Amino acid sequence: YAPWCPACQQLEATWESFAKESQGLGVTVAKVDVTQEPGLSGRFFVTTLPTIYHANDGVFRRYRGPRTLEDLQGYILERKWEAVEPVAGWKSPSSIMMHGMAGLFHFSGWIRHIHNYLTGTLGVHVWISYAIFIVATLLVGLLLGL
């Protein structure tokens, strides 16, 4: 979820109720703020918010059903998750590819942080910051090419 997301805000009360009843269902319910954990949004290939995953014994399934408390409970109690196809091995959050994707998300956050430092703290003009990143990209490419 993200705090600014209207759909996430709409689901929040239901999700909190589901979390309170989770111990009786034998599951652990959590939420992750993708603005604070960008690597996880890359690792889980989050393209829409909110995104719900069910994980059991290292097997991940994306929940795409209705988002009422009754439906979420039924998904667990009636074991509806067994009928949902697991996330493909290469797209699994534990795969090497998704570890790499998480790294790219962390890297993009690092670049954004440097850009904000250059423009906000040092007062460098935005276009000069862009030029610095362009030159750095070209230099890294040349070094890797050599």
Side-chain angles (χ1 to χ4, degrees):
Y1 87 100
W4 50 262
C5 168
C8 298
Q9 293 167 356
Q10 185 178 11
L11 179 63
E12 189 168 16
T14 302
W15 193 253
E16 293 298 325
S17 297
F18 184 53
K20 287 178 185 172
E21 297 182 17
S22 65
Q23 192 172 17
L25 298 171
V27 296
T28 301
V29 174
K31 66 181 180 179
V32 176
D33 181 349
V34 295
T35 63
Q36 298 297 317
E37 299 291 338
L40 282 178
S41 64
R43 180 176 266 175
F44 280 83
F45 205 63
V46 174
T47 55
T48 59
L49 293 173
T51 300
I52 300 172
Y53 276 95
H54 173 264
N56 187 26
D57 295 329
V59 178
F60 296 88
R61 291 174 172 86
R62 186 161 174 193
Y63 178 78
R64 298 180 190 269
R67 296 180 175 183
T68 65
L69 180 58
E70 296 76 25
D71 288 312
L72 292 168
Q73 290 170 333
Y75 187 75
I76 301 301
L77 289 173
E78 298 169 20
R79 300 179 68 90
K80 292 180 181 177
W81 53 270
E82 292 176 333
V84 176
E85 186 174 334
V87 175
W90 67 274
K91 285 175 59 177
S92 174
S94 57
S95 72
I96 292 173
M97 183 167 172
M98 290 298 117
H99 280 283
M101 185 72 78
L104 287 175
F105 275 65
H106 282 294
F107 183 65
S108 69
W110 182 73
I111 289 173
R112 183 176 54 236
H113 178 71
I114 291 173
H115 172 73
N116 290 338
Y117 176 75
L118 289 173
T119 58
T121 305
L122 298 181
V124 174
H125 192 273
V126 172
W127 287 105
I128 294 174
S129 175
Y130 292 159
I132 291 170
F133 283 108
I134 290 169
V135 169
T137 301
L138 291 173
L139 288 175
V140 168
L142 286 172
L143 289 173
L144 290 174
L146 293 175

